[in-house]
Amino acid sequence: MRSDYDKAASSKGHASDDYFELKTRIHDRLLDLLDLSLIDSLDQNLVKSQIRTVVQRILEEQDYKMPLNLTEKENLFTEIEDEVLGLGPLEPFLKDDTISDVLINTYNQIFIERFGKLELSESRFKDDTHLMKIIDKIVSSVGRRIDESSPMVDARLTDGSRVNVIIPPLALDGPIMSIRRFGRDPLMINDLILLKSFTKEIGEILKGIVKAKLNVLISGGTGSGKTTLLNVLSQFIPEEERIVTIEDAAELQLKQNHLVRLETRPSNIEGKGEVTARDLVRNSLRMRPDRIIVGEVRGMEAFDMLQAMNTGHEGSITTIHANSSRDALMRLESMVAMAKLDISNEFMRRFIASAINIIIQISRFADGTRKLISIQEITGMEGNIITLQEIFSFRQTGISEDGKVEGHFRFHGVRPRFVDKFAVAGISIPREIFDPDKIFEV
């Protein structure tokens, strides 16, 4: 015999509206019975035990009776715990390390990305109000707000995962939330080599680039792994150096002790109090940093970041959205122009060329894999054009029968100018590493 709950389940595997109604009523009744102010100060296991005891008692009340078997009752206990202590329907996804993105397209549609592939989950929220409660819990925990007067916000979860929310009137069908997850343990350079994001040889080059204090611009599209690579590169910054990080929503996972983390702030309900990335970059120059790391340049802060790179803060790193190294330079130029400085295009390009040493281009492929596809060195100016030389690249040659990207990594036989800086910093790189005849198939 199937229970009423089983019968009410929809053909898509979603729980019925009756079940959501029951869960909401139990949740509301539970909040009346529990002292929520004590939850944070008590042991979580004790709180879960108390929740289960109270929920069991509520289920025995006449108004809350519903035929549930043991499995369904256990699921109900877990879901109520998640509502009180966590983020409701999102909790199972946040506990699953194989999930990299959680995309909520209104309350009744949750997509997840696992191993680079999107799939529609069976979970959903009860309604827009339920989804907004979870959104408010996330946003308020980092001191931000979201309402009709401020319908877009960037936030973060306690594990550093990036959250973006947009609500009506900008989102026509209801609240939309995107969660970009980060692993509990940051990936190391050997992990990326095992994942075939690049070769062991290029890993040695990347280590040298950071240790020799070259200024680096990491370029790539959405979801290509820019932040992951930035985290990996930061692991080679010496412990004795003072690092200042600047982000819209703090997500970098640097492990150095001498670390100062700064985060932008949106304006308050009166439209005052905004602190931009540009404000923070300017302020960081007064904090005696050895290196400045900007999570991503999006606007006028690009000029201040370049100025920092040009004035003694070598080894600084930032990321930018762009599809190629040349596109990254064009975007950077347009961002500097946003600062409305009375400077010529030629001077602006010389300014960029003197500030940045290396552009690392990364890409996400159709099979979900992410690879470092190019390392280019800025060599100066030729006329009015910034000149680049490609040191290393990945070229796709096809797709295997199981849908995996096939291709090869190779150096281009160019001896980079930064090898001289490697030598000064005591970093030894064998000359044969740049042999163009060596091809690394994947």
Side-chain angles (χ1 to χ4, degrees):
M1 290 289 293
R2 298 202 311 166
S3 72
D4 290 345
Y5 169 52
D6 280 332
K7 294 174 183 176
S10 73
S11 60
K12 291 184 178 179
H14 290 150
S16 71
D17 290 337
D18 289 342
Y19 175 74
F20 273 112
E21 183 63 32
L22 174 68
K23 190 172 74 170
T24 302
R25 290 171 56 224
I26 292 174
H27 183 220
D28 292 342
R29 177 81 172 122
L30 184 68
L31 297 184
D32 291 336
L33 297 174
L34 291 179
D35 186 350
L36 294 181
S37 63
L38 298 176
I39 282 181
D40 291 337
S41 61
L42 296 175
D43 179 74
Q44 292 291 293
N45 291 326
L46 176 61
V47 173
K48 288 181 179 181
S49 175
Q50 290 283 356
I51 289 173
R52 284 176 175 251
T53 300
V54 175
V55 170
Q56 181 63 53
R57 200 164 69 224
I58 292 172
L59 284 171
E60 292 170 0
E61 297 178 12
Q62 186 63 36
D63 291 342
Y64 298 91
K65 283 188 176 180
M66 183 176 183
L68 299 173
N69 61 38
L70 286 176
T71 301
E72 293 161 357
K73 192 174 289 189
E74 183 64 29
N75 289 339
L76 179 64
F77 287 149
T78 301
E79 289 176 19
I80 294 291
E81 286 171 7
D82 290 341
E83 292 289 343
V84 176
L85 302 176
L87 300 177
L90 300 180
E91 279 298 312
F93 305 133
L94 301 178
K95 293 172 183 175
D96 187 344
D97 289 337
T98 66
I99 294 174
S100 57
D101 285 276
V102 183
L103 308 172
I104 298 96
N105 300 346
T106 69
Y107 74 90
N108 61 356
Q109 193 178 69
I110 302 177
F111 281 89
I112 59 173
E113 181 183 284
R114 185 184 271 116
F115 306 121
K117 297 292 185 181
L118 280 175
E119 56 188 78
L120 178 63
S121 77
E122 295 185 349
S123 297
R124 69 179 179 99
F125 294 84
K126 181 192 174 200
D127 50 29
D128 285 343
T129 303
H130 184 201
L131 174 53
M132 280 304 302
K133 283 182 180 178
I134 300 301
I135 289 172
D136 285 332
K137 185 182 286 191
I138 294 171
V139 170
S140 61
S141 70
V142 292
R144 305 204 170 187
R145 66 183 179 87
I146 187 162
D147 51 41
E148 283 193 9
S149 63
S150 180
M152 292 187 295
V153 70
D154 285 315
R156 67 180 183 279
L157 302 181
T158 53
D159 64 358
S161 297
R162 180 193 311 163
V163 180
N164 177 268
V165 179
I166 184 165
I167 65 171
L170 301 185
L172 300 181
D173 299 320
I176 308 293
M177 179 162 56
S178 307
I179 301 175
R180 171 66 51 80
R181 299 202 54 221
F182 294 97
R184 291 180 176 85
D185 298 316
L187 291 173
M188 308 296 283
I189 194 165
N190 287 337
D191 297 320
L192 296 188
I193 292 171
L194 287 173
L195 291 170
K196 298 182 179 179
S197 295
F198 47 78
T199 67
K200 182 180 178 182
E201 290 77 8
I202 202 60
E204 293 301 313
I205 296 291
L206 293 177
K207 287 182 188 177
I209 284 171
V210 177
K211 291 179 179 178
K213 303 191 76 170
L214 300 177
N215 293 325
V216 178
L217 181 65
I218 300 172
S219 169
T222 300
S224 58
K226 297 186 295 297
T227 303
T228 298
L229 182 59
L230 179 51
N231 272 319
V232 167
L233 295 184
S234 69
Q235 295 164 8
F236 306 115
I237 299 175
E239 280 286 345
E240 63 270 14
E241 293 188 18
R242 178 175 171 84
I243 308 167
V244 177
T245 66
I246 297 164
E247 302 172 83
D248 284 328
E251 58 192 3
L252 294 174
Q253 299 171 296
L254 277 65
K255 298 299 183 182
Q256 285 84 348
N257 290 323
H258 205 167
L259 173 66
V260 178
R261 302 167 72 222
L262 305 179
E263 185 178 67
T264 61
R265 186 180 71 185
S267 57
N268 59 22
I269 198 166
E270 291 86 20
K272 299 178 181 178
E274 181 182 17
V275 180
T276 66
R278 189 175 192 190
D279 297 327
L280 294 178
V281 173
R282 285 175 170 177
N283 188 77
S284 70
L285 300 177
R286 306 184 185 101
M287 300 173 69
R288 197 237 167 258
D290 289 303
R291 303 193 194 219
I292 299 172
I293 296 179
V294 178
E296 182 181 338
V297 287
R298 294 186 177 96
M300 291 183 288
E301 71 273 8
F303 174 76
D304 301 280
M305 181 72 200
L306 293 170
Q307 203 164 29
M309 290 175 169
N310 266 321
T311 54
H313 300 93
E314 295 93 349
S316 295
I317 311 171
T318 189
T319 74
I320 191 170
H321 268 81
N323 293 326
S324 69
S325 299
R326 186 60 67 180
D327 286 347
L329 291 175
M330 291 171 61
R331 282 212 68 209
L332 202 56
E333 191 176 330
S334 66
M335 290 175 190
V336 174
M338 291 180 189
K340 297 181 180 178
L341 303 166
D342 188 17
I343 57 177
S344 67
N345 287 340
E346 182 177 354
F347 178 83
M348 189 188 302
R349 289 168 186 164
R350 290 189 183 279
F351 187 63
I352 293 171
S354 63
I356 297 172
N357 304 114
I358 301 293
I359 303 176
I360 300 174
Q361 185 70 34
I362 54 180
S363 183
R364 173 178 169 162
F365 290 84
D367 62 352
T369 59
R370 297 162 174 88
K371 298 186 188 298
L372 193 159
I373 63 170
S374 176
I375 293 181
Q376 302 216 30
E377 181 182 38
I378 293 181
T379 57
M381 296 283 294
E382 190 171 298
N384 197 28
I385 304 297
I386 299 173
T387 54
L388 299 169
Q389 63 177 6
E390 191 166 46
I391 311 302
F392 170 88
S393 68
F394 172 80
R395 295 288 181 267
Q396 182 179 348
T397 56
I399 296 179
S400 66
E401 291 182 359
D402 59 355
K404 296 295 183 182
V405 166
E406 295 178 333
H408 58 258
F409 296 99
R410 69 182 302 172
F411 286 90
H412 288 252
V414 176
R415 184 182 183 275
R417 297 186 181 187
F418 60 67
V419 169
D420 295 332
K421 291 190 176 182
F422 278 22
V424 171
I427 301 164
S428 177
I429 294 291
R431 294 178 64 89
E432 57 269 18
I433 201 172
F434 303 109
D435 185 353
D437 294 328
K438 284 186 178 179
I439 294 177
F440 306 90
E441 299 281 354
V442 292

